[in-house]
Amino acid sequence: MDKIEHIGIAVKDLEKSNQLFASLFGAPHYKIEEVVSEGVKTSFFKSGPNKIELLQATNPESSIAKFIEKKSEGIHHIAFLVQDIFAEIVRLKKEGFVVLNETPKKGADNKLVVFLHPKTTNGVLIELCQEIHISQKI
Ligand code: ZN
């Protein structure tokens, strides 16, 4: 794994949180993106070299809605950048990690993503993400 790509924070009200984090970082979000298949609306902030993703549920079945119901707002996942997500899935499964979606799916920010089950990662939801290259068909 290369580096932490971003930290995902679950929020109830994206508009309010966008203002809050803009005040915190002294700069507004640089993009908003809805991932319809995941039932989330996301916004992205930069703080120096670091990236923060805010996630708000767009329907009650969304994993973000369930997270907030159970745990309230807060850090939802940590995302690591990988070069070859398919190779990482094979490697991590061999190591005994439970991959939540065996086939990488298209997430926000032009990435292929998979999640590792928190029960195998000390309670932390880990996202692996890889840039989608133009030549790749999903
Ligand atoms: Zn993420």
Side-chain angles (χ1 to χ4, degrees), residues 3-9 30 42-45 49-55 75-81 107-109 111 113 115 125 127-129:
K3 61 166 188 172
I4 291 180
E5 213 284 330
H6 63 269
I7 292 174
I9 298 175
Y30 64 92
T42 66
S43 65
F44 287 89
F45 288 83
N50 303 305
K51 211 194 269 180
I52 300 292
E53 174 186 35
L54 303 184
L55 305 109
I75 291 182
H76 177 258
H77 64 269
I78 299 178
F80 292 90
L81 187 66
D109 206 23
K111 302 272 196 304
V113 301
F115 288 92
L125 181 61
E127 172 186 333
L128 305 181
C129 59

Side-chain angles (χ1 to χ4, degrees), residues 42-124:
T42 66
S43 65
F44 287 89
F45 288 83
K46 274 193 183 121
S47 161
N50 303 305
K51 211 194 269 180
I52 300 292
E53 174 186 35
L54 303 184
L55 305 109
Q56 180 208 284
T58 55
N59 71 62
E61 293 310 305
S62 157
S63 59
I64 295 300
K66 289 174 185 159
F67 178 89
I68 284 180
E69 200 175 291
K70 256 203 250 168
K71 302 186 175 176
S72 187
E73 296 177 295
I75 291 182
H76 177 258
H77 64 269
I78 299 178
F80 292 90
L81 187 66
V82 299
Q83 293 303 317
D84 184 343
I85 200 164
F86 297 95
E88 281 297 305
I89 291 170
V90 172
R91 183 182 74 81
L92 291 167
K93 279 174 69 179
K94 249 188 235 161
E95 297 285 349
F97 294 98
V98 173
V99 180
L100 283 173
N101 52 306
E102 302 245 339
T103 309
K105 50 191 178 183
K106 194 172 179 305
D109 206 23
N110 196 39
K111 302 272 196 304
L112 278 179
V113 301
V114 297
F115 288 92
L116 303 181
H117 198 296
K119 78 178 178 194
T120 57
T121 50
N122 284 169
V124 180

